[in-house]
Amino acid sequence: MEADKRPAWGQKCSKGCLLPLRIVITIMGFFALICAYMNRVSMSHVITKLVVPKNRTETHAGVCPPEKVSTEDAEYLTPGTYKWSEQLQGLVLGSFYIGYVITQLPGGILADEFGAKWVLGISLLISGLSTALSPIALQYGHEWGLMAIRIIKGAAQGPIFPALTTLLSHWVPAKERATLGTFCYSGVTAGTVLSNFCSGLMLHSFHWSMTLYVFGSVTILWFIFFPFMRLSRQILLCTSSPSGHPCIKPKEMDYLEELIPKKADKLPIPWKQMMLSKAMLAVIISQIGHDWGYYVMISCLPKYMADVLQFSIRSNGILTAFPFLAMWVSSLLSGFLADWLIRSGKLSINLERKLFTFIGALFPGLFMVIASYTGCNKILVVVFFTLSLFTMGPYYAGQKLTPMDMSPNFSGTIMAITNGIGSFAGMLSPYIVGVMTPNATINEWRWVFWLGLVILVGSAIIFWIWGTAEVQPYDPSAGEKKEG
């Protein structure tokens, strides 16, 4: 962590930044998640171009007629190369989460102990490199080479959420957490939107490898800007904490010192108290529930659109972007609404976190199931999937913020544990979906969405009963005045 010995903040810069630095940090975190999810999600579209399409020449119950394409567009429709089963495709998509699970906890501990800046930066750099190298891995190692590079990418991205949580816990006070924290985490959805939209356009017009080269290169550029860049050679963009920033204004420093409890240096992690608490169990279970529903959507929705509804590559990319765009807008609105409800005293932080988590689980599951009953009415399917993800937006102003609420000193570790265990859903869901949908029909997919509804709602109920936004007794700041 950067040194905490700067008697006169801001004096090393001839002029200050136009925005408060906590907002600059939040924006950079937002773009970090955009890059991470462009890297992560792009393969869900690329795989539809890699794999030999199913033979749909015969009438097949539960499969929609293919979208008609123009003669000009048909020139771009090259057949796939690899004869991968649905289960093998699930393994390729899910292999990312093998590495992702392994590095969550080490990343969270490193971020809590030594600062989040370099943990986050190096993670994104390796993620970008592995994305750009994926075509080479597939060329020489076939599906096993692709799975190996995706495991490396997953391991690189494992520390990202823990590091960001630690970074925000140092920079963002509780009363701004729903707005700024939700904006930062909405980079997940914004990255998915850009990945879906841009993947569809690039796969339509270029060789599939171009998609991975572009997303990998953009991520590497983010790494160059994040830790190193100074605006006008004067304003450093990021440090792990306010006390380590040479350009922070005294007014902002005083504001943050007043509202954010001082973090203790290198505290031993209270593993026993942490892991045996009902609040921790509730956060873990709700994370698993959300991740199951969300990862099914980001990993499998493009396949549903391609295999069942038989959209073209370009339409698939554009139309799968709409639901995630709706979720991004919803998450931002939810953040502003949550902070207003808390500031005005209409809801306590505790009740707001529980209510928004429940809303972000019940309605997405319901609309997912309804979408599966609209048959081949492609407009209604897109409408209900859009409603499903729009109503998932409040989750980011709910459970996702509780690691920072529960323990400012160990927020990165808590996020690592919950996000890491939740990632098992991401690792297993593509394979389980592949097993449940061997023929990729509407009826088979309907059971996938019913399972998602049960998991989402069940996990949200447990969080409502046992979850909390209160600072836990094992955190050193528990005895101090509550934040915000």
Side-chain angles (χ1 to χ4, degrees), residues 37 45 83 132 205 235 303 409 416 456 465 482:
Y37 271 75
H45 284 278
K83 295 181 179 180
S205 302
I235 308 300
K303 284 179 56 58
N409 283 280
L456 279 164
I465 296 170
K482 290 185 179 181

Side-chain angles (χ1 to χ4, degrees), residues 180-447:
L180 294 182
T182 299
F183 173 76
C184 180
Y185 291 137
S186 74
V188 168
T189 315
T192 307
V193 170
L194 287 171
S195 178
N196 289 344
F197 185 79
C198 296
S199 293
L201 294 179
M202 286 190 285
L203 288 170
H204 172 78
S205 302
F206 304 104
H207 188 264
W208 59 264
S209 60
M210 181 62 67
T211 304
L212 302 176
Y213 293 144
V214 169
F215 291 151
S217 299
V218 169
T219 305
I220 294 168
L221 284 175
W222 177 93
F223 170 76
I224 295 172
F225 277 82
F226 177 69
F228 299 119
M229 185 180 177
R230 292 175 182 267
L231 299 179
S232 301
R233 299 183 179 179
Q234 293 168 334
I235 308 300
L236 183 68
L237 283 186
C238 180
T239 58
S240 294
S241 64
S243 61
H245 205 296
C247 302
I248 189 170
K249 294 178 181 178
K251 183 178 179 180
E252 185 177 11
M253 189 68 209
D254 293 341
Y255 173 77
L256 296 178
E257 284 187 331
E258 179 184 356
L259 294 179
I260 299 178
K262 184 176 175 60
K263 308 298 188 296
D265 292 329
K266 297 186 179 181
L267 290 168
I269 298 172
W271 292 109
K272 184 176 180 180
Q273 301 97 307
M274 187 185 294
M275 297 306 298
L276 293 180
S277 71
K278 290 181 179 179
M280 186 69 168
L281 179 63
V283 175
I284 290 172
I285 292 175
S286 63
Q287 184 75 50
I288 292 172
H290 168 79
D291 284 359
W292 179 275
Y294 188 65
Y295 288 150
V296 164
M297 295 296 273
I298 64 172
S299 297
C300 303
L301 184 57
K303 284 179 56 58
Y304 183 83
M305 296 287 207
D307 294 343
V308 178
L309 300 180
Q310 297 205 74
F311 280 114
S312 68
I313 287 287
R314 181 165 58 180
S315 296
N316 193 351
I318 294 171
L319 292 175
T320 53
F322 282 128
F324 293 98
L325 179 61
M327 184 178 177
W328 182 65
V329 172
S330 172
S331 62
L332 295 180
L333 294 176
S334 298
F336 286 114
L337 177 61
D339 271 346
W340 177 78
L341 289 170
I342 293 167
R343 282 197 306 268
S344 64
K346 297 183 184 298
L347 290 178
S348 66
I349 294 180
N350 206 36
L351 181 57
E352 180 277 322
R353 301 289 194 253
K354 292 183 178 184
L355 179 61
F356 278 47
T357 301
F358 189 78
I359 291 172
L362 173 62
F363 292 103
L366 282 175
F367 286 124
M368 238 188 276
V369 171
I370 293 172
S372 70
Y373 283 93
T374 57
C376 292
N377 189 326
K378 297 181 180 182
I379 294 175
L380 279 181
V381 171
V382 173
V383 167
F384 282 114
F385 277 134
T386 301
L387 288 172
S388 175
L389 284 176
F390 180 82
T391 53
M392 193 177 279
Y395 163 80
Y396 288 103
Q399 185 268 4
K400 200 66 177 177
L401 300 177
T402 53
M404 287 183 277
D405 298 326
M406 291 167 57
S407 179
N409 283 280
F410 304 113
S411 57
T413 301
I414 294 175
M415 178 62 81
I417 294 169
T418 57
N419 212 50
I421 296 176
S423 298
F424 280 102
M427 183 168 59
L428 296 175
S429 59
Y431 179 76
I432 292 174
V433 170
V435 171
M436 294 177 69
T437 59
N439 301 304
T441 64
I442 292 175
N443 289 335
E444 291 172 347
W445 273 94
R446 188 171 293 150
W447 286 108

